[in-house]
Amino acid sequence: MFKYFILAITLFSSILFAQLPTLKVADKSLKISNMKVDIEIVGSIATTTFDITYYNPYKRDLTGEFSMPMNEGQEISRYALMVGDKLREGVVVQKVKARQAFEAVVAQKIDPGIINITKGNYFKTKIYPIPAKGHKRVVIALTETLQDDHYILPIQNQKPIDKFSLDIKILKGNSTEQNILSEFNTINITQDNQAYMMHFNKENFSLKKPIKFALPKLDKTDHQLFTETIGGKTYFYLNVKTPDLQKMRKKLPKKITIYWDNSFSASSRDRAKELELLESYLKAIDGVKKVSLVAFNYRMLPAKQFSVGSDVSKLINYIKSLKNDGGTTLARLKFDAKSDEILLFSDAINTIGGESVSISKKPIYTISSSAGSNYAFLKKLASQSNGEFINLDRLSTKKALEVLLSDEEKFLSCKYNKSTIAEVYPNTPMRVGKFLQITGVLKSSQGKLTLNYGSKKGITAKQTYTIEKKSSSPIARIWASKKIEVLSWNEAKNSKTIEVLSKKYSILTKNTAFIVLDRVEDYVTHCITPPKELRKAYDTLIAEQKKLSKEKLQTVHQRNLERITQLKEWYKNPPKIEEYNAPEPIEEENGIGGDIAPMVIAEPSVESSQRRVRSTSKAKKETHKKAAASIKILAWLPDAPYMKKLRKISTKEFDKHYYTFKKENRNRPAFYIEVSDYLFKKGLHKKAVRVLTNTIELDLENPELLKVVAKRLMDEKEYTMAIMVYKEIRALRPKEPQSHRDLAIAYVNKKQYQKALDIYTFILSKEWDRFDDIKDTIFNEYNALIAKHRKQLNLKKVKKDYIFSMPLDVRITVSWSSNQNDIDLWVVDPNGEKCYYSHKNTKAGGKISQDFTRGYGPEEYSIKKAPRGLYTVYLHYFSESRQSITGPVTIHATLTTHYGTKQEKSKKIMIQLEKDKDTMQIGILEFR
C-alpha cells in the first residue's frame, strides 16, 4: 500500500506575498538550506524567482502540497524541480493533461511536480519526493505589475537560512535616475549603461523586516520604452506616467440594488472593510432612500427592501447576520433592470455551472476584498456595464469611496496606424493609477502611438510617443501576458489563442499547468513535449507510439464485438455451476469507521438475510413474469457527536447549532455530507442543498468532492444542478469513462435520452486502458436505454451489432468517489451462494462484473431470472492507498428490479466508509 504524507506549504500575498514559501509538516517548517532570489524589473513589471533548497530531517519521503491566493496582476512564470542531479524545467500543457500525467505516475512512486491555477485565482502545486534525510530543490517565479513606485521582498520572521543570495536587476530603459534608494541598509545598488544592479550574499541569514527599494523615477521623461525582436516580430512595452486626470462628482443614483455573495468561499473576504465602504457610500449619497439587498450563493434569495437615508444600521446589521454557507452559481444572477446602479460584493469564485451572466444596462460596481478572487470576471462585468472594479485588497476605503462617488477621467483608447503597429493591449476604457502599461507589435522601423484619456463626454488629454526599436529587453512575454488578460474577458471564444500563448511564453492560465516529469517515457505516454534536454529521445519514442496507436484504434470495435457476444451468450445460456465452495461466514462490522453507528432498517423490517425462502426447484415452477419484488435499503446513521445533537433539536434551532458545529468541522467534507443527508431526510431540501454544496468549495476543482456532491444531488432529483457538476468532472477527467457515464445517467434521469445515448456511444468508441472493462456495464445501460426509449432516439450512429435487449430481474451497481480505493460488491442469493470477485457466476444464474481494484468502479451484479427469495447486498472495503482532504470514501449503490423494462424500480443508498477491511450489509431485495 502506497501512503505518503501531505505537507502544508502556505504562501501569503502582500505586494508579492507576506512570507516566503515555507514547507510544513504539522506545525513545523522544513529548514531552508539554500535560497537564491533573483529580481528583474522592466518598467513596472517585476519577476521574482525563488530558487529554494529544502531539507527533510525525517526518516521517510514526503509529498508537498501548497496553494496560494494570487492577487490582481500576479502570475506564475516559471516552475522547475531537481530531478536526479539536474534541474528540470516545467513545461506548460493543458491542465487536464497535466493532472492525468501526475495522477498516472504517482502510483509508480516517481511522482512529478505540478502547478496549476484553480477557479478564482488560486495556484496549487504538488511535489514528490522530498527524500528522507535529504534535500529538494524547487524553483518558482512570480511576475506581477507593481502598483506603486517601490518594490518589497518580504523576507521576514524567517529561521536562519544556511546560504542566502540576492540579485537585483532593474532595466533602465530611458531612465536617467542616478541613485536608486534602498531602505535595507546593507544593500547598495550599482549601475551600468543598461541596468541598475545589486548582488548580496550572506550565510546563516535571517531578517526581521522586508527588503524594500525604490524604482527609477520618471521626472525628466514620462515614459520608458522597451523592445524585443523574436522570429522576425518586434514586440514593444511602453511604461507611461499618466497625466493628471480630473475627477467629477457623478450623478447620484436614486435606487440601488446590492448583490451580496454569502457563499462559503466568500468567508475569506474582508467583510468589515466592505461594510465600512458600503456604509460610507450610502451616507455620502443621502438622496437614496430605498436600497434592495439580494443575498446569493447557489441560488438567489428574494430581495429585501431597506429604507436608509441617514440611518443605514438596519441594512448593515442584516448583512452582518448573513452566514457564509453553500456553493456559488453565478449564472443564476439576475440583475435588477430598474435600479440606477448595482453594487456586487463577491469574490466571483463560481463553483457550480458556468459563469455566463446577462450584463446589466445599468452600471455594475464589482467589489472584492480577498486575494484569489476571479478578477477577470469582475473586471469584465464592470467594464461592459460602464461600472468600475474596486479591489479593496489594494485600495483603502477612502480611495475606494472616491471611485464610487466620482466619474474620473480614464484611459480611453490607443490611436495608431495599422500599417506600422499591428496590435495594442489594452485598447479599451479603464481606470489607471500612476502608471499605464501598453504592449504591442511594431510592424515597421517605427510608428506613432497616441494614448487618449477622458470621459463619456470625450477626449480631454493625449500622450503621443514614437515606438522604435531599442536594445533588446525580455518583454515578448509581457506582451503575451497583457494580450491573455484582455482575451480572458471572453475566455470561451478565445480559449485556443490563450492556450497557444500560454504554452509558447510559459504563462500559467486557468486552463493550463506547469508540469515536471521524471522520465522521458512519461512525457511520451501523455504526449507532453518535454524540455530541450529530452526532446530528441521524445521525438524518437513518439514516432513509434503513433504506429502503435493506429493499430490500437482498429481493434476497439473488434473487442467491443467480443464483449457484446460474451454478454449475449451469458444472457441466453448462463454457465452451469456444478460445485460451490462456500466462503467463510460474513462477519459484519458493528460500526463503520469511528463516527458511524450500526446500520438499521429504514423501512418496515424484512426477515433475516440468512433465511432461505423456498427451494430453488419450487421457485422455478412459479410464473416469473408476475413475480412481485421489493427493495429494502438499510439506513446509514452517522454517529458523530454533532449528528447526535442535531437529531434532537427542533427545526427552528437548527441553524444556530449547525453554525456552531461548522466552526469545529469547517474543513471536513464528511460534516457537510452527513448534515445534508439528515436535512434531506427531514424534507428541508433547500437547506440541505446549501449545506451539501459547501463540500465543493473546500477544495476547488477536486473531482472526488464534485462526484460526491453530484451523486447526492441526483438522489434528490436535482438533475439540472447535478448535470452542471458532472460536466465539470468530465472536463477535469476526460480520460476516465466514469466521468462520461455519470453524465449520461444524469441525462437519462433528466429525460434527455439522446444526449445520454451519444455519450454511451462515445464511451464504446474509445479504449480506456485499465477502465476498459466498464464497457460490460455500459452495454447493459446502452441497451436498456434503447429498449425503453427507442422511439425518442436517433440510432444512426449506433452500430447494429451492439443492440441486444437484456432485461434483468435484478441489477445492483456500486461506484465510489476515490481513484485510490478498492471496494467490492458481494451478493448472497436465496441459495446462500455468495457472488463476488473470486466467484463470478452462481448456480442461480447471477453474475458479477470485473473487479476494479483501483478507481471508482462500477461493479455490477446481474441476474436474468431471479429465483424467489432474498438477495442480500454487502459492501467490502478491501483497501485504500490515499490520504487527502476528502476523508472517508463515499460509496453509492443502486438496487434495481425488472431492469430495462417499464416495471423497473430502483432504490439508492449513499454511505461513507472510513476504514478498509470493513464489511457491511446495505440492503435486501426480495422476490416473492
Side-chain angles (χ1 to χ4, degrees):
M1 185 182 291
F2 172 41
K3 288 193 175 182
Y4 52 86
F5 283 78
I6 298 292
L7 305 179
I9 310 177
T10 308
L11 289 77
F12 300 96
S13 178
S14 174
I15 285 187
L16 268 171
F17 27 72
Q19 297 181 6
L20 291 171
T22 56
L23 280 163
K24 293 183 179 180
V25 179
D27 294 328
K28 296 180 180 180
S29 301
L30 289 188
K31 182 179 179 61
I32 297 176
S33 60
N34 193 359
M35 177 185 288
K36 298 178 181 179
V37 180
D38 182 81
I39 303 168
E40 182 171 271
I41 299 176
V42 183
S44 292
I45 310 294
T47 298
T48 305
T49 303
F50 293 95
D51 187 337
I52 307 173
T53 302
Y54 295 100
Y55 175 68
N56 174 14
Y58 302 99
K59 294 181 180 179
R60 65 186 71 199
D61 291 356
L62 300 172
T63 294
E65 181 179 87
F66 66 86
S67 64
M68 179 184 104
M70 306 285 287
N71 215 323
E72 183 186 358
Q74 292 182 333
E75 61 189 27
I76 305 295
S77 52
R78 185 186 174 197
Y79 178 55
L81 288 177
M82 184 62 75
V83 177
D85 59 352
K86 292 183 179 180
L87 186 69
R88 179 160 298 164
E89 293 293 332
V91 293
V92 174
V93 298
Q94 285 181 320
K95 183 163 64 177
V96 168
K97 183 178 285 190
R99 281 180 168 174
Q100 289 166 351
F102 182 87
E103 290 169 6
V105 298
V106 73
Q108 304 172 42
K109 301 185 183 181
I110 49 172
D111 301 10
I114 184 174
I115 280 185
N116 63 270
I117 295 174
T118 63
K119 287 183 176 181
N121 206 27
Y122 281 73
F123 90 74
K124 291 184 176 184
T125 183
K126 290 184 179 182
I127 302 166
Y128 177 89
I130 304 168
K133 297 289 184 179
H135 295 82
K136 190 70 174 183
R137 184 181 171 197
V138 184
V139 178
I140 299 177
L142 294 99
T143 298
E144 74 161 349
T145 302
L146 301 176
Q147 301 298 304
D148 211 333
D149 54 2
H150 64 271
Y151 174 95
I152 297 177
L153 179 67
I155 300 180
Q156 56 188 22
N157 301 323
Q158 295 289 318
K159 295 178 181 179
I161 300 170
D162 293 345
K163 293 182 179 180
F164 176 82
S165 66
L166 172 66
D167 283 279
I168 300 173
K169 183 177 183 181
I170 308 172
L171 298 188
K172 284 184 174 182
N174 50 359
S175 171
T176 57
E177 181 71 20
Q178 295 300 308
N179 297 303
I180 301 297
L181 302 177
S182 169
E183 294 184 9
F184 188 54
N185 56 18
T186 60
I187 289 182
N188 293 312
I189 296 181
T190 60
Q191 60 176 305
D192 63 13
N193 292 331
Q194 301 297 323
Y196 306 95
M197 294 174 294
M198 186 280 296
H199 179 72
F200 175 78
N201 254 320
K202 194 166 185 178
E203 295 185 358
N204 196 31
F205 175 76
S206 62
L207 190 66
K208 292 183 178 180
K209 66 176 184 177
I211 294 174
K212 182 177 180 180
F213 55 86
L215 300 183
K217 295 181 180 178
L218 297 178
D219 289 338
K220 296 181 181 180
T221 177
D222 65 352
H223 72 283
Q224 293 171 292
L225 176 64
F226 305 89
T227 64
E228 182 177 21
T229 301
I230 299 178
K233 267 191 174 183
T234 298
Y235 304 92
F236 68 86
Y237 163 54
L238 186 66
N239 185 41
V240 176
K241 186 176 181 181
T242 55
D244 292 330
L245 300 175
Q246 301 300 310
K247 295 179 182 177
M248 298 77 69
R249 183 83 170 184
K250 75 177 185 183
K251 182 181 179 181
L252 298 181
K254 293 182 179 180
K255 183 180 180 183
I256 291 176
T257 301
I258 300 166
Y259 289 80
W260 190 273
D261 182 351
N262 68 317
S263 65
F264 184 36
S265 68
S267 57
S268 62
R269 300 196 334 249
D270 188 343
R271 186 165 68 171
K273 192 172 183 180
E274 291 182 356
L275 289 176
E276 180 186 359
L277 173 62
L278 177 60
E279 185 172 5
S280 300
Y281 180 55
L282 293 176
K283 286 181 177 179
I285 52 172
D286 54 11
V288 173
K289 302 299 182 185
K290 291 187 177 181
V291 174
S292 296
L293 189 284
V294 178
F296 68 94
N297 42 38
Y298 84 94
R299 66 189 184 100
M300 283 177 58
L301 296 179
K304 287 186 70 71
Q305 306 298 325
F306 293 88
S307 298
V308 287
S310 59
D311 183 9
V312 300
S313 59
K314 287 185 179 180
L315 171 62
I316 299 298
N317 288 335
Y318 174 75
I319 294 176
K320 286 181 178 179
S321 73
L322 294 172
K323 303 292 186 181
N324 293 110
D325 204 50
T328 312
T329 307
L330 293 177
R332 289 186 174 175
L333 282 178
K334 306 295 181 185
F335 294 115
D336 185 359
K338 296 181 180 179
S339 289
D340 295 320
E341 73 179 30
I342 291 161
L343 305 181
L344 172 64
F345 289 84
S346 176
D347 57 15
I349 296 176
N350 188 58
T351 50
I352 303 171
E355 293 179 354
S356 178
V357 176
S358 296
I359 303 297
S360 170
K361 293 182 180 180
K362 305 296 182 179
I364 302 174
Y365 291 82
T366 58
I367 301 153
S368 179
S369 60
S370 58
S373 293
N374 187 350
Y375 300 110
F377 176 83
L378 293 170
K379 287 180 178 179
K380 173 185 175 181
L381 210 59
S383 176
Q384 293 186 351
S385 65
N386 202 29
E388 296 288 351
F389 166 61
I390 297 173
N391 186 352
L392 278 178
D393 198 40
R394 285 190 162 170
L395 293 179
S396 66
T397 306
K398 182 180 178 181
K399 177 62 178 175
L401 181 60
E402 290 178 9
V403 175
L404 281 172
L405 289 171
S406 64
D407 278 333
E408 184 177 356
E409 292 179 338
K410 59 181 69 175
F411 166 75
L412 296 178
S413 62
C414 292
K415 183 180 179 181
Y416 56 92
N417 189 326
K418 292 183 179 180
S419 65
T420 58
I421 296 176
E423 51 188 283
V424 172
Y425 303 100
N427 200 16
T428 54
M430 59 183 288
R431 191 181 290 263
V432 293
K434 288 184 179 179
F435 299 95
L436 171 64
Q437 289 79 42
I438 299 290
T439 64
V441 177
L442 182 65
K443 292 176 69 175
S444 60
S445 58
Q446 67 175 33
K448 292 287 184 182
L449 181 67
T450 299
L451 311 183
N452 298 319
Y453 302 86
S455 64
K456 296 176 186 177
K457 297 179 179 179
I459 298 171
T460 58
K462 294 183 179 183
Q463 292 174 307
T464 300
Y465 302 98
T466 299
I467 308 299
E468 57 187 349
K469 292 183 181 180
K470 299 284 185 179
S471 56
S472 185
S473 303
I475 58 91
R477 190 187 176 282
I478 295 174
W479 164 81
S481 177
K482 295 298 182 184
K483 182 171 182 175
I484 287 174
E485 184 179 352
V486 172
L487 294 176
S488 295
W489 285 21
N490 193 340
E491 189 167 5
K493 179 182 177 181
N494 301 315
S495 59
K496 292 294 183 184
T497 305
I498 292 172
E499 184 181 327
V500 169
L501 291 170
S502 173
K503 291 178 179 179
K504 183 175 181 179
Y505 293 97
S506 295
I507 299 171
L508 205 59
T509 65
K510 190 167 71 173
N511 294 316
T512 56
F514 274 107
I515 191 164
V516 175
L517 297 173
D518 187 0
R519 308 173 308 166
V520 67
E521 291 84 358
D522 296 324
Y523 287 97
V524 171
T525 298
H526 300 283
C527 296
I528 295 173
T529 304
K532 290 181 180 179
E533 68 268 20
L534 300 177
R535 195 73 56 82
K536 185 175 180 181
Y538 171 83
D539 290 340
T540 300
L541 290 173
I542 205 74
E544 295 174 3
Q545 191 187 61
K546 285 180 179 179
K547 293 179 182 178
L548 294 174
S549 295
K550 290 181 180 179
E551 296 172 5
K552 199 175 186 180
L553 287 172
Q554 292 170 0
T555 65
V556 170
H557 177 54
Q558 185 60 41
R559 289 178 182 174
N560 284 346
L561 289 177
E562 291 171 5
R563 281 187 188 278
I564 192 66
T565 300
Q566 290 172 2
L567 286 170
K568 289 177 182 178
E569 182 61 29
W570 169 83
Y571 193 79
K572 293 175 181 178
N573 303 295
K576 293 182 179 180
I577 308 299
E578 300 297 335
E579 294 184 8
Y580 169 59
N581 296 318
E584 293 295 321
I586 297 171
E587 295 183 4
E588 297 178 47
E589 295 287 331
N590 288 329
I592 306 302
D595 294 337
I596 303 176
M599 301 290 283
V600 300
I601 299 295
E603 301 184 44
S605 176
V606 297
E607 299 172 49
S608 167
S609 63
Q610 303 303 315
R611 183 189 65 147
R612 301 293 171 256
V613 183
R614 296 184 176 90
S615 68
T616 304
S617 60
K618 186 176 181 181
K620 289 180 180 177
K621 295 178 182 179
E622 301 289 341
T623 173
H624 208 81
K625 293 182 180 178
K626 297 181 180 180
S630 63
I631 308 170
K632 307 297 182 184
I633 293 294
L634 305 184
W636 173 58
L637 288 179
D639 201 28
Y642 51 77
M643 291 307 304
K644 290 181 179 179
K645 178 72 174 177
L646 290 174
R647 289 190 193 104
K648 295 178 181 178
I649 64 174
S650 67
T651 302
K652 291 182 179 180
E653 293 180 309
F654 174 82
D655 275 353
K656 175 184 175 182
H657 292 279
Y658 163 69
Y659 286 114
T660 299
F661 289 127
K662 183 180 177 181
K663 290 178 182 178
E664 303 167 4
N665 299 277
R666 178 183 177 86
N667 294 317
R668 292 187 65 243
F671 171 74
Y672 302 104
I673 294 165
E674 292 166 3
V675 174
S676 63
D677 191 58
Y678 165 73
L679 290 170
F680 279 126
K681 289 172 182 174
K682 293 281 287 184
L684 301 172
H685 189 87
K686 290 180 180 178
K687 189 170 290 189
V689 174
R690 187 196 77 204
V691 172
L692 177 65
T693 55
N694 281 296
T695 312
I696 300 175
E697 303 215 342
L698 288 176
D699 189 24
L700 299 175
E701 299 183 6
N702 182 315
E704 183 172 345
L705 295 182
L706 289 164
K707 189 183 288 280
V708 171
V709 171
K711 285 188 177 293
R712 195 66 187 91
L713 291 170
M714 286 287 294
D715 293 345
E716 298 302 324
K717 299 183 180 180
E718 282 280 356
Y719 302 134
T720 299
M721 192 181 300
I723 286 170
M724 289 191 288
V725 179
Y726 278 135
K727 283 182 176 180
E728 181 175 355
I729 297 170
R730 184 178 64 173
L732 294 169
R733 294 281 191 275
K735 289 196 174 181
E736 292 175 352
Q738 293 90 342
S739 302
H740 302 273
R741 173 183 178 254
D742 288 340
L743 182 57
I745 292 171
Y747 278 132
V748 170
N749 282 271
K750 186 69 173 170
K751 298 183 179 180
Q752 295 178 298
Y753 304 122
Q754 188 64 47
K755 288 184 177 181
L757 183 74
D758 291 344
I759 293 174
Y760 282 133
T761 302
F762 172 79
I763 295 172
L764 292 172
S765 71
K766 302 293 182 181
E767 184 166 349
W768 302 97
D769 297 322
R770 67 186 176 102
F771 291 132
D772 209 50
D773 284 331
I774 197 177
K775 288 181 179 177
D776 287 348
T777 300
I778 296 300
F779 270 123
N780 276 337
E781 293 170 355
Y782 196 56
N783 280 290
L785 177 63
I786 293 171
K788 292 166 66 177
H789 307 290
R790 191 176 194 121
K791 291 181 180 180
Q792 297 165 265
L793 296 170
N794 182 340
L795 302 179
K796 287 183 178 179
K797 294 182 180 179
V798 176
K799 295 183 183 299
K800 293 180 180 180
D801 292 337
Y802 294 176
I803 301 177
F804 181 72
S805 181
M806 294 179 283
L808 302 167
D809 274 0
V810 175
R811 182 177 187 255
I812 301 164
T813 58
V814 169
S815 60
W816 52 98
S817 59
S818 170
N819 189 26
Q820 300 295 326
N821 295 81
D822 183 1
I823 308 295
D824 293 322
L825 170 64
W826 297 352
V827 178
V828 178
D829 67 19
N831 296 324
E833 192 171 358
K834 175 180 164 185
C835 193
Y836 68 120
Y837 62 87
S838 63
H839 183 67
K840 294 182 180 297
N841 293 277
T842 66
K843 289 183 180 181
K847 176 174 70 71
I848 203 85
S849 62
Q850 290 296 320
D851 183 24
F852 282 101
T853 59
R854 185 167 60 88
Y856 310 123
E859 294 197 4
E860 175 189 40
Y861 171 84
S862 52
I863 186 167
K864 177 182 177 182
K865 291 185 177 181
R868 295 177 65 174
L870 298 179
Y871 294 77
T872 311
V873 185
Y874 295 88
L875 293 179
H876 178 57
Y877 191 173
F878 187 81
S879 68
E880 79 155 310
S881 56
R882 62 170 192 149
Q883 182 177 359
S884 69
I885 186 176
T886 48
V889 62
T890 302
I891 304 171
H892 286 80
T894 302
L895 284 63
T896 306
T897 60
H898 304 300
Y899 179 75
T901 71
K902 293 182 179 180
Q903 291 77 38
E904 178 178 309
K905 290 184 179 179
S906 294
K907 287 192 178 179
K908 299 177 182 179
I909 183 171
M910 180 208 75
I911 58 173
Q912 288 191 297
L913 297 184
E914 198 159 359
K915 295 188 300 184
D916 59 11
K917 305 307 178 186
D918 280 348
T919 302
M920 67 180 300
Q921 181 184 343
I922 64 166
I924 302 170
L925 294 95
E926 182 176 14
F927 265 76
R928 56 186 185 276

